[in-house]
Every structure is written in structure tokens, then in C-alpha cells.
Amino acid sequence: MNPTEQELARNRLLEEIELDTRDTSHMTGREKLSDRVMAAMAKVPRHEFVLPEDLPLAYINRPRGIGHGQTISQPFVVALMTDLLDLTPEDRVLEIGTGSGYQAAVLAELAARIYSVEVIVELADTARERLRRLGYDHVEVRHVDGHGGWPEEAPFDAIIVTAAPPRLPEELVAQLAEGGRMVAPVGHRIMGQELRLYTKGPEGAIRSRGVLPVAFVPMVEKAAPRT
Ligand code: SAH
């Protein structure tokens, strides 16, 4: 794709995100995503995050494979999840499931620091190198099981989980700041998953609501301890 084709493809993608947002607003409660989120979606070069053979399809509103049985999420879902976090430029954000690093880059356009963890070492290394090359210096990527979060940097103003756990891990709830927002796909692949939004109020009270049915890769369970 030449630069003009790329710009056209990106503009078309933004229009599709607007349409999907309107079509799902009865479930999500959001008629329109914020201008800041749409500007971030317009800015991040998604073609840098897909596999080379998928370059012509980088701006199609679909998830894509990124190797190791994992996927880069559908752009509309990335935009919606980001919007639900209501980020401010001072926020510190934890992401579970770095994958390609695309979601982390979108977050990095909107918040002060991003801490992202990935359980597959090759994906963590590739995403770290890619984000550095693209100038996202305020994103840190760690190769670790996301069930434990990132305790040294907690609490976080926002947490985004991009692989689906059957139940929300307690440790992540603990690492959310008071007034913080967390968005996560929760459930089983076959039984169905639901994107849920959690908010932590005074004294740690958690409120949550279902947002949208979704299909994410499962969050892998911690390896059983050796006996
Ligand atoms: N946010 C990514 C897409 C994530 S796909 C992007 O923008 O490209 C889900 C990712 O979660 C996969 O890379 C998968 O390896 C990772 N993952 C699954 N279980 C995990 C766990 N327990 N801890 C950390 N990462 C996990």
C-alpha cells in the first residue's frame, strides 16, 4: 500500500468504528467514542503490528493472527475498551496480554505510563522491540504470567485485560487504584465471554457491569506447582 491508500484505509476504518459504536450503543452505553480515543486510533500505525503477509489487510476491522496461536484484536474492540477506561494524560495503566503491542501503543497515546505483561516470551520480545522502534518509550513490557499483575508498580489508574480469564483474578482487582477502571473479557470460550467494566470506589468497593459479548483468546492458567 502506498501512503495515500493507507490513509484512505485508515479513514475507512475510523468510519467503521463509528458505525460499530452506534450499532452496539444499546449494550455499551456509548453512542460515540471520545475524540481523544479516535485520534489515537487514527495515529497508531496498525500495519506495523500485523504479520508481513497481512499488510494489505492491516486496516480491516477484524482481528488477525500474530503467530503462536494469538491474535491482535479487532480495531473496534480496541477502541471501545480504551474508551471505557476514560484515560487522562496522567494515568498509569496495566495491560495483561501484550500480544503484538498494538493495544499498548493506543494506550500510550492517551496515558502517562503503560506496563504491559505477556506470557509468551517471543511475543513479549517482539512487541518490546517494535514499541521502542516506534518511539513508545513510556511503555514497559515484561515477560510474566499476568495473573500476578505488576505489584511493584501498583496501584494502577486503569487495567485492561486482553485475554479472557474464567473469573477476574483477585490480584488484578487488588492492584486497581481507588477510582480506577478495569475492563476485561470474562468467561469461557465455549460458554461465551462478556466484556465487563469494573470500577473501584471508596474503600475498595467494586462495581461492575456487562458491556458486550466478545471472543478473546483464553488467559492461560498458571502452571501447576511441581509436587
Ligand atoms: N493486546 C494484544 C492482543 C492480545 S491477544 C494486541 O494488541 O495485540 C492476548 C494475549 O494475551 C496473547 O498474546 C497471549 O499470549 C496473552 N496471554 C494469555 N494468557 C496470559 C497470561 N496468563 N499472562 C499474560 N499474557 C497472557
Side-chain angles (χ1 to χ4, degrees):
M1 271 201 283
N2 63 42
T4 325
E5 284 171 338
Q6 214 167 75
E7 201 183 316
L8 281 174
R10 262 196 240 192
N11 287 340
R12 214 161 26 223
L13 175 60
L14 294 179
E15 281 169 24
E16 284 188 27
I17 292 173
E18 281 176 10
L19 284 176
D20 280 354
T21 303
R22 236 172 298 151
D23 285 348
T24 55
S25 61
H26 60 289
M27 293 181 276
T28 65
R30 303 225 161 172
E31 275 285 331
K32 194 175 172 293
L33 305 185
S34 79
D35 291 343
R36 288 188 78 220
V37 169
M38 291 306 279
M41 294 301 295
K43 187 161 172 209
V44 177
R46 195 167 189 262
H47 61 272
E48 297 279 1
F49 295 83
V50 299
L51 296 175
E53 59 267 33
D54 281 342
L55 269 180
L57 306 172
Y59 292 95
I60 303 287
N61 191 21
R62 300 290 314 155
R64 304 232 76 85
I66 53 170
H68 305 275
Q70 304 304 322
T71 54
I72 175 174
S73 308
Q74 180 188 4
F76 162 62
V77 173
V78 171
L80 174 67
M81 288 173 81
T82 307
D83 199 73
L84 290 167
L85 295 177
D86 288 331
L87 297 174
T88 71
E90 296 77 38
D91 281 348
R92 298 166 66 259
V93 186
L94 172 67
E95 179 188 31
I96 308 299
T98 317
S100 67
Y102 176 69
Q103 172 75 71
V106 173
L107 297 169
E109 296 287 344
L110 298 163
R113 280 208 86 78
I114 316 300
Y115 300 89
S116 184
V117 304
E118 169 57 54
V119 76
I120 299 178
V121 66
E122 291 86 353
L123 290 178
D125 288 347
T126 308
R128 188 184 299 111
E129 188 278 322
R130 175 183 284 141
L131 288 162
R132 194 171 307 138
R133 176 168 53 79
L134 295 173
Y136 291 106
D137 297 331
H138 52 304
V139 182
E140 267 186 71
V141 176
R142 192 185 246 190
H143 167 230
V144 70
D145 180 345
H147 285 86
W150 195 314
E152 299 86 343
E153 296 294 345
F156 299 97
D157 303 297
I159 299 180
I160 180 167
V161 184
T162 68
R167 256 166 287 100
L168 197 60
E170 276 305 313
E171 198 48 44
L172 299 184
V173 178
Q175 291 181 20
L176 188 63
E178 272 188 23
R181 288 85 51 208
M182 167 151 47
V183 64
V186 179
H188 296 273
R189 202 170 216 175
I190 303 184
M191 307 282 281
Q193 304 163 1
E194 183 179 48
L195 189 66
R196 297 192 66 81
L197 175 65
Y198 301 80
T199 48
K200 197 184 248 190
E203 280 150 45
I206 296 286
R207 288 178 45 186
S208 85
R209 71 172 173 97
V211 177
L212 198 69
V214 286
F216 277 75
V217 296
M219 182 164 173
V220 301
E221 284 296 326
K222 261 184 257 218
R226 280 171 206 234
T227 49

